Amino acid sequence: MAAIDIPEVHKFIETIPPFASLSLAERKQMLTGVSMLYVRQGQTLALKDEAATVHLIRRGACEIRTPKGGLVDQIADGECFGVSSVLAQNPDGLQVVAMEDSLVYRFEKIHFIEMLKKNDAFGLFFEHTQHHRLRKLSRSQSNELATPALQLSTPVANIMTRQLVLASPEESVQTIAIRMTEARVSSILVVENERLLGIVTDRDLRSRILALGGSSSALVRDTMTADPVSLLPTALVMQAQTLMSESNIHHLPIVDEDQHAVGMLTAADLLRHQELSPLLLINQIHRQQSISRLAQVCKQWPTLIINLIVTDMKPADVGNVLATISDNLTRRVIELALEQVGPAPMDFQFMVFGSQARRDQSLGSDQDNGLMLEREPTTEESTYFAALSECICQGLAQCGIRLCPGNIMASNPEWRRTQSGWQQAFSNWVKSSAPSALLHASIFFDIRCVYGNNEPVDQLIKGLQLEISKNSVFLATLTRSALVTKPPLGFFRHFLLESSGEHKNQLDLKHQGLALINDLARLYGLSCRTYRAGTLGRIEQAIREKLISVDTGRNLIDAWDSLNGLRLEAQSRHWQATGSASAYLDPKALSPLERKHLKSTFGIISDVQDVAQQRFLRGYS
């Protein structure tokens, strides 16, 4: 037990909920008998006898796990554990394991219980905390999908290889090839003064030496991949999978903060760790030789999405993982369509719009896409691209990405244009204030290129920004459109629920919540000098360019995270029950504190709408 500085503890807890809501006298009462523990990484805390009380993490991170090792929650600075031990004698046998070296405050049990009885808000907070963790525990125990093998939130350090095979840059490739053979590894890390310089893999030796008739005496320095991508050991498996998929690599060096090599992670390590993973699905996608086989592989996609949700991955990370899969799927469908229809008579770009461009797809998302052609096609070439686009869009539909009900797809000849044709369309939408133009702006102005050379699409985006900068009326018109729909809160801050139909007495989290934030982010994003397609990226860029205050921007990001988390959970439950996705939520399914938080979230959206009205309309509606 370490010595403790009470004034320092007091200063810390007065900023941490729910301690911040206590009076000065109540905080002093809570600090009577408080002690401080230093917990090493990997150490399990036994919450028995005197230790069966509430703890507060001052610095560090811990996991709450079941006796069988199932992950219930991950907590860090300012969060508490031990609540179940106090309130219910920990009937589930939950354990707390330090994820990193941590400092923890331990409160006297008697004072904590007195405060629960004395202060209703304090008691409600911990009641909610216990309720929240019991729900996570229930999900982890009852949902067979959330097997221990599927721990995307596992730190890389837990599965990486620590027995490294190293080389110096001045050795010959023959020397390191012998060392790799003896060690039975497919890669070797190149270090100098313990710092990582590069990596050589089996594939490098084949493609850079053998295939080119190179000498076995060639130096490693001239053969290695210099400055390879790497991760810290604290990175999560999900981050490693995403990075390896995006970089198309099978070996990922793990380094410490001084760039010293401390581990190696391979695709085989990841596949052994997880039975169903984004990386495995992407690998399977690229191995399929027909769209019908691809469609069979993609039947795993909904299960994977639900697994990502039940493992409590951050909503933004879920979106990034799904976008990576979706982009790879789109590219593979295009490759197969080209094999089926024949080679294209000119270069083209396949662009995605809407949720795929923003990287916030979820269960049941539909297609929004189009083609950019190198030049005006002849009649024969138009027929070719019609066939190609039809094959791509129908192929994506077979693989689970629904056809767009509004027909915003490359299969619609309206959305197959040259670069100048797209520029003209964008220009017309910016200059027009018609409802149809604003609807198009809300879809097409979220844009990314997923196939072909990015440069023409980048030029299109720059042209769009230039057009907007010359037309001040457009942002005002877009603002009015963004403010038409208000968050579903009444005058007395009651929820405004659906009044009839299938979703009577429910909230539409997508159209009454997330879409409003997306509209605000698009408004600010199009005002920035640097274009971002994603909602969170746009808000962060607006903060950097000082178009929105840090506090307002952060609040809006938190609101997006909160609403997206609720939407994903609602969709997951509905999908498992009915096989279809729904973003509707009955507020009665939430705890009192969660309902209060949801109202606060809607309040933030309303506040930012007011801020946008002041900035872009000078207060006039």
Side-chain angles (χ1 to χ4, degrees):
M1 200 79 68
I4 189 165
D5 181 348
I6 293 297
E8 172 63 23
V9 184
H10 198 148
K11 186 178 179 181
F12 177 66
I13 69 170
E14 69 181 5
T15 64
I16 301 296
F19 303 96
S21 64
L22 300 178
S23 67
L24 178 61
E26 288 173 330
R27 284 199 292 272
K28 286 182 176 179
Q29 181 184 342
M30 279 298 299
L31 292 181
T32 304
V34 68
S35 54
M36 183 169 69
L37 294 80
Y38 176 70
V39 190
R40 290 196 175 278
Q41 181 181 6
Q43 181 180 343
T44 300
L45 282 163
L47 302 181
K48 298 179 180 177
D49 304 325
E50 292 182 357
T53 182
V54 72
H55 296 65
L56 172 66
I57 300 175
R58 175 65 176 86
R59 186 173 64 249
C62 297
E63 291 179 338
I64 299 176
R65 291 188 173 274
T66 65
K68 293 183 179 179
L71 180 65
V72 177
D73 206 356
Q74 290 182 321
I75 52 179
D77 299 8
E79 295 186 272
C80 293
F81 62 85
V83 181
S84 177
S85 299
V86 179
L87 301 182
Q89 289 75 53
N90 192 14
D92 301 299
L94 298 180
Q95 300 174 341
V96 179
V97 183
M99 299 168 62
E100 57 187 65
D101 293 348
S102 304
L103 282 177
V104 175
Y105 296 139
R106 175 183 291 167
F107 296 96
E108 287 277 353
K109 185 175 182 179
I110 185 173
H111 299 307
F112 177 67
I113 293 176
E114 286 175 357
M115 197 56 63
L116 290 177
K117 297 175 180 175
K118 183 178 178 180
N119 188 309
D120 291 340
F122 190 79
L124 183 61
F125 179 91
F126 283 103
E127 182 183 333
H128 165 69
T129 301
Q130 186 191 23
H131 176 71
H132 178 67
R133 287 188 185 144
L134 284 176
R135 283 198 303 165
K136 289 187 173 183
L137 173 64
S138 175
R139 286 207 303 267
S140 69
Q141 290 178 333
S142 62
N143 199 327
E144 293 181 355
L145 298 170
T147 63
L150 187 71
Q151 294 294 343
L152 291 173
S153 55
T154 300
V156 164
N158 291 7
I159 64 170
M160 69 183 187
T161 300
R162 297 176 185 273
Q163 303 302 317
L164 299 179
V165 183
L166 304 175
S168 83
E170 306 307 326
E171 290 184 277
S172 69
V173 294
Q174 182 179 30
T175 302
I176 68 162
I178 293 172
R179 191 175 305 150
M180 290 167 66
T181 302
E182 291 175 344
R184 304 180 66 180
V185 296
S186 56
S187 65
I188 191 166
L189 296 179
V190 184
V191 298
E192 190 172 59
N193 298 325
E194 299 184 358
R195 291 173 61 84
L196 179 68
L197 281 188
I199 183 172
V200 179
T201 67
D202 274 343
R203 186 168 60 178
D204 296 333
L205 295 177
R206 290 196 301 272
S207 62
R208 298 176 185 175
I209 300 296
L210 295 177
L212 301 179
S215 169
S216 59
S217 60
L219 293 179
V220 168
R221 181 185 295 281
D222 300 326
T223 309
M224 68 183 186
T225 298
D227 300 322
V229 294
S230 59
L231 279 180
L232 292 171
T234 51
L236 305 182
V237 166
M238 179 276 302
Q239 293 171 295
Q241 288 190 356
T242 303
L243 181 60
M244 292 171 76
S245 297
E246 291 178 342
S247 307
N248 191 28
I249 58 175
H250 296 87
H251 303 81
L252 181 64
I254 309 300
V255 299
D256 63 16
E257 293 178 349
D258 296 321
Q259 282 294 302
H260 294 163
V262 296
M264 171 66 86
L265 189 69
T266 67
D269 294 329
L270 291 174
L271 295 181
R272 278 194 296 270
H273 178 68
Q274 298 186 344
E275 295 170 348
L276 174 60
S277 71
L279 182 64
L280 179 60
L281 183 56
I282 290 170
N283 285 341
Q284 290 178 328
I285 285 171
H286 284 289
R287 287 205 304 270
Q288 303 313 308
Q289 299 302 316
S290 69
I291 288 178
S292 60
R293 296 294 298 272
L294 200 53
Q296 286 295 318
V297 166
C298 287
K299 287 182 178 178
Q300 305 171 81
W301 200 352
T303 302
L304 177 62
I305 296 174
I306 292 169
N307 281 344
L308 297 176
I309 296 169
V310 300
T311 52
D312 281 327
M313 183 180 287
K314 291 180 180 177
D317 291 337
V318 171
N320 284 327
V321 170
L322 297 186
T324 301
I325 297 172
S326 188
D327 290 356
N328 279 274
L329 172 63
T330 303
R331 285 191 279 270
R332 187 58 187 147
V333 168
I334 293 172
E335 290 167 354
L336 293 172
L338 286 169
E339 290 177 8
Q340 183 173 329
V341 181
M346 68 177 83
D347 285 344
F348 69 93
Q349 287 75 40
F350 192 85
M351 303 179 295
V352 295
F353 310 108
S355 61
Q356 187 174 355
R358 294 194 303 271
R359 295 176 178 271
D360 63 7
Q361 285 174 292
S362 60
L363 284 163
S365 290
D366 62 357
Q367 301 179 39
D368 290 308
N369 51 53
L371 282 191
M372 180 186 287
L373 305 177
E374 184 181 14
R375 53 176 167 73
E376 285 294 342
T378 63
T379 302
E380 185 179 348
E381 289 169 340
S382 291
T383 302
Y384 168 87
F385 280 111
L388 178 68
S389 301
E390 184 69 17
C391 188
I392 294 170
C393 294
Q394 292 297 334
L396 289 171
Q398 288 181 48
C399 294
I401 304 181
R402 293 186 299 119
L403 296 173
C404 173
N407 204 17
I408 297 178
M409 295 181 290
S411 53
N412 182 346
E414 180 74 10
W415 310 127
R416 296 194 300 270
R417 297 168 179 245
T418 62
Q419 182 178 343
S420 61
W422 280 106
Q423 283 174 338
Q424 187 60 53
F426 277 37
S427 176
N428 291 341
W429 294 330
V430 170
K431 292 174 181 173
S432 172
S433 58
S436 60
L438 294 173
L439 176 62
H440 285 141
S442 69
I443 298 171
F444 290 95
F445 289 7
D446 305 345
I447 177 174
R448 278 195 303 121
C449 174
V450 298
Y451 184 89
N453 180 9
N454 284 335
E455 190 174 344
V457 180
D458 292 340
Q459 291 171 352
L460 175 67
I461 292 171
K462 287 179 182 176
L464 167 65
Q465 291 178 295
L466 179 63
E467 193 74 45
I468 291 173
S469 68
K470 294 190 296 187
N471 193 322
S472 59
V473 176
F474 172 73
L475 287 177
T477 306
L478 195 63
T479 304
R480 290 190 185 91
S481 174
L483 302 185
V484 167
T485 304
K486 301 294 183 184
L489 281 183
F491 185 77
F492 295 105
R493 295 183 69 79
H494 296 307
F495 289 124
L496 298 178
L497 307 175
E498 296 289 320
S499 58
S500 61
E502 178 187 358
H503 301 292
K504 185 177 180 181
N505 295 327
Q506 295 183 357
L507 288 168
D508 183 350
L509 296 173
K510 180 179 178 181
H511 295 102
Q512 294 180 296
L514 284 166
L516 309 190
I517 300 177
N518 291 339
D519 288 344
L520 288 166
R522 184 178 305 107
L523 179 62
Y524 279 97
L526 293 175
S527 307
C528 290
R529 294 186 298 275
T530 301
Y531 179 84
R532 297 282 185 269
T535 293
L536 298 190
R538 284 170 165 168
I539 299 171
E540 289 165 353
Q541 188 63 34
I543 293 173
R544 279 193 286 274
E545 296 192 17
K546 302 186 186 307
L547 300 182
I548 193 170
S549 73
V550 174
D551 287 346
T552 301
R554 296 285 180 226
N555 285 340
L556 199 57
I557 288 172
D558 289 343
W560 187 91
D561 268 333
S562 176
L563 279 177
N564 215 2
L566 287 174
R567 178 188 68 152
L568 289 172
E569 286 190 11
Q571 286 187 330
S572 172
R573 285 194 298 271
H574 202 265
W575 186 277
Q576 289 175 306
T578 68
S580 63
S582 170
Y584 284 87
L585 172 74
D586 183 350
K588 290 180 181 176
L590 302 176
S591 71
L593 196 61
E594 287 172 325
R595 286 197 291 273
K596 184 177 179 181
H597 183 66
L598 182 55
K599 288 179 181 177
S600 298
T601 299
F602 286 139
I604 288 171
I605 298 174
S606 181
D607 291 344
V608 181
Q609 285 184 331
D610 291 341
V611 172
Q613 182 171 338
Q614 288 294 328
R615 179 177 185 86
F616 297 103
L617 295 177
R618 299 182 186 278
Y620 295 100
S621 59

